[in-house]
Amino acid sequence: QVQLVESGGGLVQAGGSLRLSCAASGGTFSHNAKAWFRQTPGKEREFVATINWNGHETTYADSVKGRFTISRDNTLNTIYLQMNNLKPEDTAVYYCAVSATRMASSSLKDMYDYWGQGTQVTVSS
């Protein structure tokens, strides 16, 4: 059974950093597109970052460009989101996602088949 588990969230002061991890089990996804999304109460889950199958192509939401970096380690079957210079508006539950078949990166939620349970990130001012 495929399972994605996020970790690394927490409470941080504005300007601080966090690194989120997403450990996958039940499959290997070295050739699959991967992404991070986030969601706040009352809002639709929104795109944060995506990476294509070989890691050569990354795309970021305008709100996080220059501050967040998505990466993956195929040997560990893990996806990462390095978050620097955090702002209060980054507060959300962060979810990792993997496509079952797609190789190219995508910012669309419907392109992803496997999702983690989410990890809370809270940024205080």
Side-chain angles (χ1 to χ4, degrees), residues 8-20 38 64 66-69 81-91 94 121-125:
L11 176 64
V12 65
Q13 296 280 337
S17 298
L18 287 173
R19 183 172 66 184
L20 306 183
R38 66 188 182 187
V64 307
R67 300 188 297 118
F68 290 12
T69 303
L81 184 68
Q82 178 66 46
M83 305 185 294
N84 298 325
N85 192 24
L86 283 160
K87 303 176 180 180
E89 50 263 45
D90 295 319
T91 296
Y94 284 72
V121 172
T122 303
V123 184
S124 62
S125 59

Side-chain angles (χ1 to χ4, degrees), residues 29-35 49-59 70-72 74 102-106 112:
F29 308 100
S30 61
H31 290 79
N32 301 67
K34 308 166 181 68
T50 184
I51 188 167
N52 78 333
W53 71 277
N54 61 12
H56 293 173
E57 178 182 285
T58 57
T59 304
I70 185 172
S71 62
R72 84 280 189 273
N74 289 337
R102 185 178 178 87
M103 299 176 67
S105 58
S106 176
Y112 297 94

Side-chain angles (χ1 to χ4, degrees), residues 29-51:
F29 308 100
S30 61
H31 290 79
N32 301 67
K34 308 166 181 68
W36 287 91
F37 290 78
R38 66 188 182 187
Q39 188 168 25
T40 56
K43 286 199 167 189
E44 179 181 332
R45 192 167 298 185
E46 67 175 348
F47 167 73
V48 175
T50 184
I51 188 167

